[in-house]
Tab-separated table of all heavy atoms in Angstrom:
chain	number	residue	atom	x	y	z
A	313	VAL	N	21.638	12.233	27.393
A	313	VAL	CA	22.506	12.158	28.645
A	313	VAL	C	23.802	11.403	28.282
A	313	VAL	O	24.890	11.836	28.796
A	313	VAL	CB	21.717	11.390	29.757
A	313	VAL	CG1	22.627	11.121	31.006
A	313	VAL	CG2	20.515	12.134	30.163
A	314	TRP	N	23.720	10.398	27.423
A	314	TRP	CA	25.010	9.741	27.072
A	314	TRP	C	25.928	10.734	26.317
A	314	TRP	O	27.129	10.847	26.612
A	314	TRP	CB	24.672	8.572	26.141
A	314	TRP	CG	25.934	7.741	25.802
A	314	TRP	CD1	26.293	6.601	26.380
A	314	TRP	CD2	26.928	7.910	24.868
A	314	TRP	NE1	27.430	6.071	25.902
A	314	TRP	CE2	27.948	6.933	24.942
A	314	TRP	CE3	27.166	8.970	23.895
A	314	TRP	CZ2	28.999	6.912	24.075
A	314	TRP	CZ3	28.322	8.969	23.073
A	314	TRP	CH2	29.211	7.864	23.239
A	315	ASP	N	25.310	11.519	25.394
A	315	ASP	CA	26.152	12.549	24.789
A	315	ASP	C	26.774	13.545	25.720
A	315	ASP	O	27.922	13.925	25.585
A	315	ASP	CB	25.241	13.324	23.730
A	315	ASP	CG	24.859	12.427	22.556
A	315	ASP	OD1	25.462	11.365	22.358
A	315	ASP	OD2	23.928	12.884	21.864
A	316	ASP	N	25.966	13.984	26.712
A	316	ASP	CA	26.448	14.946	27.710
A	316	ASP	C	27.626	14.294	28.458
A	316	ASP	O	28.604	14.968	28.789
A	316	ASP	CB	25.329	15.358	28.581
A	316	ASP	CG	24.275	16.255	27.971
A	316	ASP	OD1	24.519	16.878	26.967
A	316	ASP	OD2	23.161	16.421	28.543
A	317	GLN	N	27.393	13.077	28.948
A	317	GLN	CA	28.421	12.411	29.779
A	317	GLN	C	29.675	12.094	28.980
A	317	GLN	O	30.807	12.068	29.519
A	317	GLN	CB	27.860	11.183	30.395
A	317	GLN	CG	26.792	11.499	31.514
A	317	GLN	CD	27.366	12.431	32.575
A	317	GLN	OE1	28.411	12.061	33.239
A	317	GLN	NE2	26.763	13.490	32.817
A	318	PHE	N	29.534	11.770	27.735
A	318	PHE	CA	30.664	11.558	26.870
A	318	PHE	C	31.537	12.788	26.755
A	318	PHE	O	32.810	12.730	26.693
A	318	PHE	CB	30.264	11.039	25.441
A	318	PHE	CG	31.397	10.672	24.619
A	318	PHE	CD1	32.095	9.502	24.893
A	318	PHE	CD2	31.844	11.534	23.538
A	318	PHE	CE1	33.227	9.149	24.038
A	318	PHE	CE2	32.882	11.159	22.766
A	318	PHE	CZ	33.559	9.928	22.939
A	319	GLU	N	30.836	13.980	26.784
A	319	GLU	CA	31.547	15.248	26.829
A	319	GLU	C	32.148	15.555	28.162
A	319	GLU	O	33.336	15.958	28.256
A	319	GLU	CB	30.598	16.384	26.351
A	319	GLU	CG	31.202	17.720	26.483
A	319	GLU	CD	30.147	18.865	26.322
A	319	GLU	OE1	29.054	18.535	25.770
A	319	GLU	OE2	30.430	19.969	26.706
A	320	LEU	N	31.402	15.333	29.226
A	320	LEU	CA	31.884	15.685	30.574
A	320	LEU	C	32.761	14.667	31.268
A	320	LEU	O	33.565	15.008	32.025
A	320	LEU	CB	30.567	15.943	31.475
A	320	LEU	CG	29.646	17.084	31.015
A	320	LEU	CD1	28.431	17.083	31.900
A	320	LEU	CD2	30.362	18.474	30.986
A	321	ASN	N	32.445	13.393	30.993
A	321	ASN	CA	33.193	12.250	31.696
A	321	ASN	C	33.559	11.221	30.668
A	321	ASN	O	33.121	10.096	30.777
A	321	ASN	CB	32.309	11.656	32.756
A	321	ASN	CG	32.011	12.619	33.851
A	321	ASN	OD1	33.014	13.128	34.496
A	321	ASN	ND2	30.759	12.886	34.241
A	322	PRO	N	34.366	11.589	29.665
A	322	PRO	CA	34.644	10.578	28.591
A	322	PRO	C	35.400	9.354	28.977
A	322	PRO	O	35.367	8.378	28.285
A	322	PRO	CB	35.500	11.437	27.596
A	322	PRO	CG	36.087	12.506	28.456
A	322	PRO	CD	35.051	12.855	29.470
A	323	THR	N	36.050	9.432	30.224
A	323	THR	CA	36.799	8.272	30.637
A	323	THR	C	36.017	7.311	31.571
A	323	THR	O	36.513	6.262	31.964
A	323	THR	CB	38.091	8.682	31.397
A	323	THR	OG1	37.755	9.477	32.556
A	323	THR	CG2	39.001	9.576	30.473
A	324	GLU	N	34.777	7.731	31.886
A	324	GLU	CA	34.019	6.916	32.816
A	324	GLU	C	33.237	5.853	32.046
A	324	GLU	O	32.008	5.973	31.755
A	324	GLU	CB	32.994	7.790	33.610
A	324	GLU	CG	33.694	8.872	34.461
A	324	GLU	CD	34.703	8.265	35.490
A	324	GLU	OE1	34.516	7.064	35.756
A	324	GLU	OE2	35.491	9.002	36.014
A	325	VAL	N	33.913	4.823	31.667
A	325	VAL	CA	33.432	3.788	30.726
A	325	VAL	C	32.183	3.057	31.383
A	325	VAL	O	31.316	2.768	30.724
A	325	VAL	CB	34.534	2.811	30.376
A	325	VAL	CG1	33.964	1.667	29.504
A	325	VAL	CG2	35.628	3.527	29.659
A	326	GLU	N	32.310	2.814	32.696
A	326	GLU	CA	31.212	2.108	33.357
A	326	GLU	C	29.846	2.856	33.227
A	326	GLU	O	28.889	2.291	32.896
A	326	GLU	CB	31.589	1.953	34.844
A	326	GLU	CG	30.399	1.302	35.659
A	326	GLU	CD	30.722	1.442	37.189
A	326	GLU	OE1	31.541	2.257	37.618
A	326	GLU	OE2	30.070	0.635	37.930
A	327	LEU	N	29.889	4.215	33.486
A	327	LEU	CA	28.699	4.974	33.354
A	327	LEU	C	28.167	4.966	31.949
A	327	LEU	O	26.974	4.817	31.695
A	327	LEU	CB	28.915	6.418	33.863
A	327	LEU	CG	27.819	7.440	33.720
A	327	LEU	CD1	26.550	6.878	34.389
A	327	LEU	CD2	28.224	8.784	34.238
A	328	LEU	N	29.087	5.258	31.001
A	328	LEU	CA	28.658	5.323	29.617
A	328	LEU	C	28.004	4.035	29.111
A	328	LEU	O	27.061	3.968	28.449
A	328	LEU	CB	29.920	5.734	28.711
A	328	LEU	CG	30.393	7.139	28.943
A	328	LEU	CD1	31.738	7.227	28.150
A	328	LEU	CD2	29.424	8.195	28.464
A	329	GLU	N	28.625	2.890	29.583
A	329	GLU	CA	28.096	1.602	29.150
A	329	GLU	C	26.735	1.344	29.810
A	329	GLU	O	25.830	0.792	29.195
A	329	GLU	CB	29.077	0.488	29.554
A	329	GLU	CG	28.653	-0.923	29.189
A	329	GLU	CD	28.567	-1.199	27.687
A	329	GLU	OE1	28.912	-0.271	26.968
A	329	GLU	OE2	28.134	-2.271	27.293
A	330	MET	N	26.564	1.749	31.059
A	330	MET	CA	25.233	1.586	31.707
A	330	MET	C	24.147	2.327	30.961
A	330	MET	O	23.008	1.961	30.803
A	330	MET	CB	25.323	2.093	33.189
A	330	MET	CG	26.026	1.130	34.099
A	330	MET	SD	25.794	1.758	35.831
A	330	MET	CE	26.564	0.338	36.706
A	331	LEU	N	24.492	3.630	30.571
A	331	LEU	CA	23.508	4.422	29.851
A	331	LEU	C	23.218	3.800	28.478
A	331	LEU	O	22.045	3.762	28.049
A	331	LEU	CB	24.076	5.865	29.594
A	331	LEU	CG	24.232	6.699	30.899
A	331	LEU	CD1	25.046	7.941	30.610
A	331	LEU	CD2	22.797	7.122	31.301
A	332	ARG	N	24.228	3.242	27.796
A	332	ARG	CA	23.997	2.553	26.579
A	332	ARG	C	23.111	1.358	26.612
A	332	ARG	O	22.178	1.197	25.948
A	332	ARG	CB	25.365	2.258	25.905
A	332	ARG	CG	25.214	1.546	24.458
A	332	ARG	CD	26.557	1.019	23.998
A	332	ARG	NE	26.875	-0.245	24.700
A	332	ARG	CZ	26.289	-1.390	24.401
A	332	ARG	NH1	25.409	-1.506	23.384
A	332	ARG	NH2	26.663	-2.467	25.056
A	333	VAL	N	23.435	0.528	27.677
A	333	VAL	CA	22.715	-0.721	27.800
A	333	VAL	C	21.281	-0.377	28.294
A	333	VAL	O	20.311	-1.069	27.967
A	333	VAL	CB	23.366	-1.652	28.863
A	333	VAL	CG1	22.560	-2.839	29.244
A	333	VAL	CG2	24.700	-2.081	28.267
A	334	THR	N	21.057	0.579	29.144
A	334	THR	CA	19.760	1.008	29.559
A	334	THR	C	18.865	1.370	28.377
A	334	THR	O	17.694	0.979	28.273
A	334	THR	CB	19.830	2.149	30.642
A	334	THR	OG1	20.520	1.730	31.772
A	334	THR	CG2	18.418	2.589	31.031
A	335	ARG	N	19.451	2.151	27.506
A	335	ARG	CA	18.722	2.554	26.318
A	335	ARG	C	18.387	1.350	25.460
A	335	ARG	O	17.304	1.242	24.819
A	335	ARG	CB	19.471	3.596	25.549
A	335	ARG	CG	18.712	4.256	24.365
A	335	ARG	CD	19.427	5.399	23.841
A	335	ARG	NE	18.619	6.031	22.765
A	335	ARG	CZ	18.714	5.767	21.467
A	335	ARG	NH1	19.687	4.933	21.073
A	335	ARG	NH2	17.946	6.375	20.555
A	336	LEU	N	19.276	0.406	25.349
A	336	LEU	CA	19.112	-0.809	24.590
A	336	LEU	C	17.945	-1.632	25.186
A	336	LEU	O	17.017	-2.102	24.488
A	336	LEU	CB	20.280	-1.687	24.577
A	336	LEU	CG	20.274	-3.011	23.765
A	336	LEU	CD1	19.975	-2.782	22.323
A	336	LEU	CD2	21.516	-3.743	23.999
A	337	ARG	N	17.915	-1.721	26.516
A	337	ARG	CA	16.836	-2.403	27.231
A	337	ARG	C	15.457	-1.718	26.931
A	337	ARG	O	14.466	-2.434	26.779
A	337	ARG	CB	17.076	-2.447	28.728
A	337	ARG	CG	18.297	-3.146	29.195
A	337	ARG	CD	18.225	-4.689	29.113
A	337	ARG	NE	18.339	-5.184	27.795
A	337	ARG	CZ	19.493	-5.258	27.061
A	337	ARG	NH1	20.543	-4.782	27.586
A	337	ARG	NH2	19.524	-5.714	25.852
Side-chain angles (χ1 to χ4, degrees):
V313 174
W314 190 96
D315 291 344
D316 289 343
Q317 290 303 304
F318 185 73
E319 174 190 341
L320 300 174
N321 293 304
T323 62
E324 300 301 344
V325 177
E326 177 191 19
L327 174 59
L328 293 172
E329 180 66 3
M330 283 187 177
L331 290 167
R332 185 190 71 81
V333 171
T334 299
R335 188 167 183 265
L336 181 62
R337 299 284 76 72

